[in-house]
Amino acid sequence: MHHVEHVDDGRASFSSIDFSEEPTETIVAWEENDAENPYNWPSLTKSRILATAVMLILNSTMGSALPSNAIPFIAAEWGITDRFQKVLPISVYLIGMSWLLLQHYPGYVMGPILWGPLSEQYGRKRLSVGTFALFSISTLACALAPTWSSFLGFRLLAGVFASAPLAVVTGIIADIYNDPRIRGRSMGIFMVSTVFGPLLAPIISGFCTTSIGWRWAFWIALIYAGITMIALLFMPETFSPVLLLRRAQSLRRANPTSTSRIIAPHELEAKTPKELITVVLTRPVRMILFEPIVNTSCAYLALCYAIFYMSFEAYPIIFQGVYNLSPGLCGLTYLSIGAGSLLALPVFFLYDNILSRARQRNASWTHQEEYRRLPLACIGGPMFVISLFWLGWTSREDVHMFIPLLAGIPFGLGFMCVFQALLNYLTDAYEIFAASAHAASSTTRSLLATVLPLAAGPMFGRLGISGACSVLGGASLIMCVVPFFFLWQGDRIRANSGFCIALRERKEEMARRVEEQHARERLHLERQSRIQKKITGETWATSSCDEEGESCRLGGLKDKEAPVGVLERIEESASESASGSGSASSEPVPVVVLVEDIVIKQDV
């Protein structure tokens, strides 16, 4: 509402113009080359963040297999003889719930389903610090556990809190690397760390149990966790929506009297507690149920992951049972899988170079998103299948142990290629929802990795080593068609995906809002320029503003700040006011208008 009132103070006639308008919204966004945008951080800072993330993953994955070669000694201390109970120290950690609790609480929510969405709501660092502190306490409790049941309970808690890095770290990588090529290579380093953690754990527990005791395996893990916590405390927040929210809050504190409402994009999506539960926390479940890319990828990754963890049951059966190795030496046999995982890195980099050169040639196949990641899985899947048949059919007393041992190289290489390709594909396809997609993946593969090792003993006992490995190889052969199917139909699936559609609409809406804001700013500058050209006479700045900054006074006159959109009506209002007082032609009437912090006086 724009109210024009004629005032006569006995000395001169003034036109007091009262402007009132709804406050505008200013959406905080990253500027071009903004130094606070994680994409623009220095390479050294990004490398430090990546190193911290890798340390987190090593803690999490190493903890999963830490009791593997110590289980016989742990069971002997507490008199545990049941074959299924001996699997529980690894199983309860992987699933994030106790096998006994599962019977009574089938709806218990697992760690990744919780941590992934919460990191997208509250940021990466706060959640990482909190969960890692609780993980460290749980590891300490495992080292001091007085009974078998308490040990399993502490392993359960450790698994719940250790699942946070698996869901969050991929989001951190997506936060700081916008170049798909660099992000892909960083994901390769992440994947190698997820494999090496479980492979280092049997070596630690195997040598500790026969020398200084099984509890020292957990003390060593705790020492490493303490080193990681120091690095984690110095890691900055990386999630852009949270960083923009902090910028908006800082601007509001610096400009408490601003008539423009300064908001961050994250605040436009503010969730009530009910919405947080029904929308945010259920996102991974909805992705599993309704997103073909997610549920199909989860099924394949879960099978590979379960077979990987089944190897912690199978290798002792093969290398201790057939070749009579000690627990410590048996732990060293896992290094062949680690060697295959390391060989995957040059494969990743080689494919990146091939893809880059093809893009420079503008090859037609590079325009399809699926070809950027999935060919690696098309190579890795068959290698994973071959390694399982190799291991099963060469593990005999009349064959030297190095022959089945070498099967670990294609096993690790194929495993890495499949995981690298599909996890990168999930990250590229779902972007800001990547943490939820990876939470869904982490949950499903942990579920299967809990169930399948329970069957390892009976399976290898009834079918033999060759029969059991052939069953696993056959299942892997069926599932290795998944990346080929995505190459064929992936673009159509993404075009009809509810989450991908929502992601596109979100980008378009935010771009529209930012463009509207820029348009308002340009219009404001244009109007200011027109006013300066139209108005002649004396101009000066005033400092006689009241404490709230809402108005300024000049000779007893109080005018409110003129909002954008009415400045061009000043001369018209002043002319009408002057004619109404009967002095339009003879006496000049001073009109006073406040434009931001400038009071302009004009004789009309």
Side-chain angles (χ1 to χ4, degrees):
M1 173 114 185
H2 314 296
H3 176 66
V4 181
E5 178 183 0
H6 182 75
V7 179
D8 189 350
D9 67 349
R11 294 173 298 171
S13 295
F14 294 90
S15 292
S16 175
I17 305 176
D18 179 25
F19 300 102
S20 61
E21 192 174 276
E22 291 295 325
T24 59
E25 288 186 348
T26 299
I27 301 175
V28 178
W30 296 125
E31 299 174 358
E32 188 177 358
N33 299 321
D34 197 316
E36 295 183 9
N37 186 342
Y39 287 160
N40 299 325
W41 287 352
S43 297
L44 183 61
T45 301
K46 292 182 179 181
S47 299
R48 182 168 54 87
I49 293 171
L50 181 61
T52 303
V54 167
M55 293 175 72
L56 280 173
I57 289 295
L58 284 174
N59 276 274
S60 176
T61 55
M62 186 171 68
S64 64
L66 199 57
S68 56
N69 278 339
I71 286 177
F73 298 87
I74 299 172
E77 179 172 327
W78 287 313
I80 304 300
T81 57
D82 183 76
R83 180 177 58 197
F84 290 102
Q85 288 200 52
K86 291 181 180 180
V87 182
L88 292 180
I90 293 178
S91 296
V92 296
Y93 186 99
L94 289 177
I95 198 172
M97 65 174 75
S98 170
W99 181 73
L100 296 174
L101 283 175
L102 184 60
Q103 299 181 38
H104 303 289
Y105 300 95
Y108 190 84
V109 180
M110 289 151 287
I113 287 182
L114 183 67
W115 310 132
L118 286 181
S119 75
E120 294 168 344
Q121 191 69 20
Y122 300 109
R124 317 293 192 195
K125 181 179 179 179
R126 185 184 303 175
L127 185 135
S128 296
V129 171
T131 54
F132 191 72
L134 293 172
F135 163 77
S136 302
I137 294 172
S138 301
T139 303
L140 172 64
C142 289
L144 300 173
T147 63
W148 173 255
S149 58
S150 64
F151 178 72
L152 291 181
F154 295 138
R155 285 289 292 169
L156 161 67
L157 294 175
V160 169
F161 298 122
S163 63
L166 293 175
V168 174
V169 165
T170 51
I172 292 175
I173 292 174
D175 291 341
I176 61 177
Y177 294 113
N178 62 330
D179 185 343
R181 187 178 184 185
I182 300 177
R183 184 170 65 235
R185 294 188 173 191
S186 301
M187 283 292 292
I189 296 172
F190 157 75
M191 278 305 307
V192 168
S193 66
T194 63
V195 172
F196 260 89
L199 299 181
L200 292 173
I203 299 174
I204 296 172
S205 60
F207 284 106
C208 283
T209 51
T210 56
S211 55
I212 55 179
W214 65 265
R215 294 180 187 269
W216 265 99
F218 292 92
W219 286 116
I220 291 172
L222 186 63
I223 293 170
Y224 180 62
I227 297 171
T228 304
M229 177 60 81
I230 296 173
L232 181 60
L233 291 175
F234 287 97
M235 186 186 81
E237 176 59 59
T238 63
F239 194 45
S240 283
V242 170
L243 294 175
L244 288 173
L245 174 61
R246 292 178 181 176
R247 175 178 283 189
Q249 292 170 341
S250 176
L251 290 172
R252 287 198 291 264
R253 287 192 298 268
N255 303 275
T257 60
S258 174
T259 59
S260 178
R261 180 169 171 255
I262 302 173
I263 57 175
H266 204 49
E267 293 174 296
L268 298 175
E269 302 172 356
K271 299 290 190 298
T272 64
K274 181 180 179 181
E275 289 173 329
L276 183 64
I277 295 173
T278 59
V279 178
V280 177
L281 296 183
T282 62
R283 189 180 295 146
V285 178
R286 287 184 284 117
M287 282 183 154
I288 293 174
L289 295 177
F290 304 115
E291 290 291 308
I293 290 176
V294 174
N295 53 43
T296 311
S297 298
C298 285
Y300 189 18
L301 292 173
L303 177 64
C304 294
Y305 196 70
I307 293 174
F308 175 77
Y309 272 92
M310 203 174 188
S311 68
F312 295 110
E313 299 293 324
Y315 268 46
I317 293 174
I318 295 171
F319 292 104
Q320 291 185 45
V322 177
Y323 297 106
N324 298 315
L325 297 182
S326 66
L329 292 177
C330 181
L332 293 176
T333 60
Y334 294 102
L335 292 179
S336 63
I337 301 177
S341 301
L342 284 177
L343 285 176
L345 284 177
V347 174
F348 300 157
F349 299 155
L350 175 63
Y351 179 73
D352 264 347
N353 291 331
I354 294 173
L355 180 62
S356 178
R357 288 195 296 268
R359 281 181 170 173
Q360 292 175 0
R361 298 193 311 268
N362 198 28
S364 59
W365 63 269
T366 62
H367 298 298
Q368 186 176 343
E369 183 74 20
E370 281 67 26
Y371 279 98
R372 189 163 66 192
R373 304 298 186 193
L374 294 179
L376 288 175
C378 296
I379 298 171
M383 293 185 67
F384 190 76
V385 173
I386 292 171
S387 71
L388 290 171
F389 285 103
W390 179 348
L391 177 67
W393 289 94
T394 60
S395 297
R396 305 192 307 269
E397 291 182 357
D398 59 332
V399 177
H400 195 280
M401 62 167 288
F402 282 106
I403 302 301
L405 183 64
L406 290 175
I409 295 176
F411 182 91
L413 178 57
F415 178 82
M416 280 290 296
C417 286
V418 171
F419 261 72
Q420 168 77 0
L422 290 180
L423 290 182
N424 265 324
Y425 185 50
L426 289 176
T427 300
D428 291 347
Y430 294 99
E431 296 184 10
I432 61 170
F433 300 129
S436 289
H438 286 285
S441 172
S442 179
T443 298
T444 52
R445 64 179 185 254
S446 294
L447 280 168
L448 193 58
T450 299
V451 176
L452 204 55
L454 292 173
M459 182 186 295
F460 278 82
R462 294 179 182 179
L463 301 179
I465 296 174
S466 59
C469 289
S470 297
V471 170
L472 298 176
S476 301
L477 179 62
I478 295 172
M479 292 303 297
C480 77
V481 302
V482 168
F484 294 95
F485 177 76
F486 284 159
L487 286 176
W488 176 42
Q489 292 290 328
D491 54 346
R492 295 182 182 179
I493 296 173
R494 285 186 293 107
N496 297 315
S497 161
F499 277 90
C500 291
I501 292 172
L503 185 61
R504 288 195 299 270
E505 291 176 348
R506 175 191 174 115
K507 287 181 177 179
E508 292 170 359
E509 174 65 15
M510 293 311 301
R512 184 186 64 79
R513 288 176 179 247
V514 171
E515 180 58 32
E516 288 179 354
Q517 179 176 317
H518 291 165
R520 287 196 300 269
E521 292 172 353
R522 289 194 298 269
L523 182 60
H524 176 74
L525 292 174
E526 290 172 1
R527 287 173 174 171
Q528 291 279 21
S529 177
R530 288 201 302 270
I531 290 171
Q532 292 294 334
K533 292 178 181 179
K534 287 181 180 180
I535 299 177
T536 58
E538 184 181 1
T539 64
W540 66 88
T542 181
S543 60
S544 57
C545 296
D546 60 16
E547 294 180 356
E548 291 78 12
E550 294 179 352
S551 62
C552 293
R553 295 174 175 80
L554 178 63
L557 176 65
K558 178 178 180 179
D559 284 317
K560 291 187 177 181
E561 182 175 347
V564 175
V566 297
L567 295 174
E568 60 270 76
R569 301 177 219 164
I570 294 170
E571 292 181 306
E572 179 183 350
S573 300
S575 299
E576 292 175 357
S577 177
S579 62
S581 64
S583 56
S585 59
S586 57
E587 293 290 333
V589 180
V591 177
V592 180
V593 180
L594 179 66
V595 182
E596 295 184 352
D597 293 329
I598 306 296
V599 174
I600 303 175
K601 178 179 178 182
Q602 178 188 9
D603 289 338
V604 181

